């Protein structure tokens, strides 16, 4: 039985994995080593130095390649380090097109680091592919998609984006952190590069920072492998182990995130104190049809704004919540709540973020896998 032919729910456990060569350990040992003995100069078993390769990292990279329907995985010390590696494929003068409601850290590295090095960024509303098409020219080398977007839950049509780059020398990269490969597999929809903050759903337990890239093309893989080794922003073996362990339950966790997400989205939509709820599962969501086509569910990320919203009102609600912990990040087993304007998106100028809907009253939930009755009871008391 070929392991890459398995269904997704089996690939999370077996994809790319084999018993360890030493003692046939079922889980890969955590190879806490920087170097490997050679029997003669250059005579080794594929491992020379742990910045370049480490067997625990290899096991995680193979797992990621399998669950994303890719061929090559690359792991980094954080999601940001993975993004950094992608932009290093470019040269000064090259242009990038990205979404106007982007993860704050991505916006920051693009505009505060790579723009100064001569790379040009355009931020457009990607819900309409025509806006992207209008910015494409001979200098365009990368289209950077995030879908669903953070925190507005807009959905970008990945297939439409891939049609725009067809026969052009442009990479299509998708930040798949919010959806996770359980809900969406961008390489199968025509993307060239998938990026993850594995810190979120892949790790799933809020105990590790790690980033990843997955590709199919061998030439692109060679370039990324060179950058990974040359820049050196790799993850440690223990972190690789933790994410690998997280991936083994990704499918069961995601199933519950989706169930709880739906219950809570509908509870909020019916609540008199709520003005609007952003969740791609609603039929009224502007990109619901695209979401239905490219995703296998709608996830547990929800944003909302209360009636007569204000910073004070949002702060009150955030302080009253007990089971939802006020914290940065998302995708863990525990429910978290965040305030994008002051937390994840504080690095985006107020006028800029309000244009895309990130007002001071916006609250973002990462719905965990607790009993949804308890989560709803918590929201009820906080909204009273
Ligand atoms: C968290 C996050 C990142 C950055 O990942 P880190 O692991 O925190 O460096 C990038 N994109 C999205 C959508 C994220 O949520």
């Amino acid at each position: 039985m070929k392991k890459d032919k398995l269904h997704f729910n089996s690939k999370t456990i077996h994809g790319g994995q084999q018993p360890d060569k030493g003692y046939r350990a079922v889980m890969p040992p955590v190879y806490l080593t920087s170097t490997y003995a050679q029997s003669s100069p250059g005579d080794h078993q594929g491992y020379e130095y742990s910045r370049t390769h480490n067997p625990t990292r290899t096991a995680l990279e193979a797992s990621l390649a399998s669950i994303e329907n890719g061929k090559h995985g690359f792991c980094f010390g954080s999601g940001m380090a993975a993004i950094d590696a992608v932009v290093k494929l470019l040269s000064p003068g090259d242009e990038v097109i990205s979404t106007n409601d982007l993860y704050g850290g991505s916006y920051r590295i693009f505009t505060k680091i790579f723009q100064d090095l001569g790379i040009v960024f355009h931020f457009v509303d990607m819900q309409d592919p025509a806006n992207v098409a209008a910015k494409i020219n001979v200098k365009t080398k990368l289209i950077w998609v995030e879908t669903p977007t953070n925190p507005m839950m807009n959905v970008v049509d990945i297939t439409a984006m891939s049609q725009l780059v067809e026969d052009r020398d442009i990479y299509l990269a998708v930040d798949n952190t919010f959806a996770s490969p359980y809900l969406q597999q961008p390489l199968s929809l025509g993307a060239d590069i998938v990026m993850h903050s594995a810190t979120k759903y892949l790790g799933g337990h809020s105990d590790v920072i790690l980033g990843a890239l997955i590709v199919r093309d061998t030439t692109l893989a060679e370039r990324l492998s060179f950058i990974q080794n040359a820049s050196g922003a790799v993850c440690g073996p223990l972190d690789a182990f933790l994410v690998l362990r997280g991936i083994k339950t990704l499918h069961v966790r995601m199933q519950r995130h989706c169930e709880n997400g739906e219950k809570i989205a509908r509870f909020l939509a019916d609540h008199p104190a709520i003005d609007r709820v952003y969740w791609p599962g609603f039929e009224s969501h502007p990109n619901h049809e695209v979401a239905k086509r490219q995703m296998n569910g709608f996830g547990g990320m929800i944003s909302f704004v209360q009636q007569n919203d204000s910073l004070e009102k949002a702060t009150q609600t955030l302080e009253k919540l007990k089971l939802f912990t006020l914290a940065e990040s998302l995708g863990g087993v525990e429910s978290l709540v965040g305030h994008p304007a002051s937390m994840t998106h504080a690095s985006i100028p107020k006028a800029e973020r309000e244009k895309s809907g990130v007002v001071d009253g916006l609250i973002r939930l990462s719905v965990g896998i607790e009993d949804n009755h308890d989560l709803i009871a918590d929201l009820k008391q906080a909204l009273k």
Side-chain angles (χ1 to χ4, degrees), residues 220-368:
L220 178 55
E222 280 165 3
R223 292 190 65 197
L224 288 171
S225 171
F226 179 85
I227 293 168
Q228 181 192 38
N229 182 51
S231 287
V234 295
C235 62
L238 184 57
D239 293 346
F241 179 90
L242 286 171
V243 172
L244 193 57
R245 162 197 265 243
I247 287 173
K248 289 181 193 278
T249 56
L250 177 68
H251 52 304
V252 282
R253 285 185 286 111
M254 287 310 296
Q255 204 179 341
R256 186 60 61 85
H257 283 298
C258 289
E259 281 168 25
N260 284 357
E262 171 154 16
K263 290 235 163 68
I264 286 171
R266 296 198 187 284
F267 161 78
L268 289 170
D270 290 342
H271 197 288
I274 302 295
D275 184 58
R276 50 194 190 273
V277 184
Y278 301 97
W279 182 67
F282 290 129
E283 272 167 29
S284 57
H285 184 285
N287 321 116
H288 180 66
E289 286 309 313
V290 181
K292 259 201 328 203
R293 212 180 322 124
Q294 74 184 16
M295 300 173 75
N296 301 314
F298 304 110
M301 296 302 300
I302 301 165
S303 296
F304 67 92
V305 176
Q306 287 162 270
Q307 300 278 4
N308 310 313
D309 74 295
S310 66
L311 181 60
E312 293 67 38
K313 203 165 209 179
T315 306
Q316 254 176 26
T317 306
L318 292 166
E319 286 175 354
K320 279 202 221 152
L321 283 165
K322 294 190 177 74
L323 203 50
F324 282 87
T325 304
L326 177 61
E328 303 260 6
S329 202
L330 61 111
V333 290
E334 67 291 303
S335 292
L336 298 181
V337 60
H339 183 242
S342 67
M343 297 165 82
T344 45
H345 288 61
S347 55
I348 303 178
K350 186 176 162 80
E352 202 56 39
R353 66 175 144 78
E354 293 204 332
K355 257 194 261 167
S356 51
V358 186
V359 294
D360 285 347
L362 186 81
I363 291 177
R364 188 191 79 180
L365 301 178
S366 168
V367 177

